[in-house]
Amino acid sequence: MKGKFITFEGIDGSGKSTQLRLLASYLVERGKDVLTTREPGGTPLGRRLREAFLETEETVSPLAELLLFAADRAQHVEFLIKPAVAEGRVVISDRYADATAAYQGAGRGFKRETVARIIQLATGGLKPDLTLFFDIPVELAIARTGSRNNSEAGANRMDGESAEFYARVRDEYLAIARSDPRRFKVIDGAGSIEDIHSKVTEIVSRRFR
Ligand code: ADP
Ligand code: TYD
């Protein structure tokens, strides 16, 4: 298992960050050289962008948002993901380009072709070797993030979106799964943390045997 790029996706509250930490520990215990990262905010510039356009009360135009996620990603791909994969590391990112297709495309309403062009420009065509999508009903996701919205830590502008918005985002992720089933695996995120972790390790082990 050398030089791999794995991404975790899901609507907010789907449990992907929890599962990412568990998978990273599992792989490290087995001697893998793992780098965990996230979007937005995987680089120093990305962290400043994240604060500026996500962790803010200011109204951000949908187009500015689309381009800022892309700017964060361009920096992330060039200075963190590509070099680490080239060194043979296993890079696991909490979100990547599929999030833009789902949130800015289906969520905000940008055309699929527009979003695809911007993703291509930002990533230079770099695709994950494997993407795990943690699928949970929108109501469960909202219940799980409810406590986060009321606390300072981790809250961001996206946490206040409507159930309809998250339903469109989820449907788009499921459409990506249908169009790219080898890369994009759907995992039922409604079970226990331990059961989901077992499924994750099974899929990862099978793919990178
Ligand atoms: P995400 O990164 O997808 O937003 P998190 O991993 O941060 O999701 O999880 C959101 C909340 O749900 C956290 O409070 C976490 O402890 C909880 N959680 C995560 N996985 C599960 C699960 N399988 N069952 C119940 N609660 C969970
Ligand atoms: P974050 O706090 O990282 O949330 P989570 O733990 O749920 O991933 O916030 C990232 C937010 O930004 C999340 O609501 C999804 C959104 N997002 C987009 O809208 N487009 C993107 O391209 C990316 C990477 C994230």
Side-chain angles (χ1 to χ4, degrees):
M1 186 174 177
K2 278 202 119 187
K4 298 292 179 223
F5 178 33
I6 303 173
T7 62
F8 278 34
E9 298 284 355
I11 59 176
D12 304 60
S14 62
K16 67 188 159 41
S17 310
T18 304
Q19 292 300 329
L20 190 152
R21 284 192 291 276
L22 291 173
L23 176 64
S25 305
Y26 172 91
L27 293 173
V28 168
E29 276 166 22
R30 279 154 188 77
K32 310 295 178 203
D33 185 2
V34 176
L35 177 68
T36 61
T37 184
R38 76 193 300 204
E39 287 194 1
T43 62
L45 173 63
R47 283 187 278 285
R48 295 211 301 278
L49 289 175
R50 184 186 167 97
E51 241 176 68
F53 83 98
L54 202 58
E55 294 165 4
T56 176
E57 303 274 304
E58 182 177 351
T59 303
V60 177
S61 93
L63 180 58
E65 179 185 274
L66 173 67
L67 296 172
L68 285 160
F69 278 119
D72 168 75
R73 185 163 304 129
Q75 184 81 358
H76 196 207
V77 166
E78 179 160 350
F79 293 111
L80 193 121
I81 300 172
K82 274 194 172 166
V85 173
E87 282 171 16
R89 306 186 75 182
V90 179
V91 177
I92 316 177
S93 184
D94 193 336
R95 298 192 184 282
Y96 184 63
D98 297 309
T100 301
Y103 282 79
Q104 280 62 55
R108 298 279 188 240
F110 283 99
K111 286 192 194 121
R112 278 214 175 96
E113 309 82 75
T114 306
V115 173
R117 270 169 46 209
I118 289 174
I119 290 173
Q120 172 64 32
L121 192 63
T123 63
L126 179 74
K127 290 219 167 77
D129 297 294
L130 177 67
T131 299
L132 303 181
F133 170 63
F134 297 87
D135 188 33
I136 65 169
V138 169
E139 300 70 38
L140 181 56
I142 289 174
R144 281 194 197 163
T145 53
S147 51
R148 183 163 76 184
N149 295 351
N150 300 329
S151 65
E152 282 280 302
N156 68 63
R157 278 191 306 110
M158 297 290 188
D159 287 333
E161 293 297 336
S162 65
E164 291 72 29
F165 177 90
Y166 284 111
R168 290 199 299 278
V169 171
R170 176 177 178 233
D171 287 349
E172 186 63 21
Y173 275 127
L174 293 171
I176 297 170
R178 287 191 294 275
S179 72
D180 197 359
R182 180 168 156 74
R183 169 180 72 88
F184 196 100
K185 302 290 178 201
V186 180
I187 294 179
D188 182 357
S192 74
I193 290 176
E194 295 71 27
D195 287 350
I196 299 166
H197 175 57
S198 301
K199 280 184 205 141
V200 168
T201 56
E202 189 193 312
I203 292 173
V204 170
S205 307
R206 202 182 320 131
R207 172 58 61 87
F208 302 119
R209 208 169 355 226

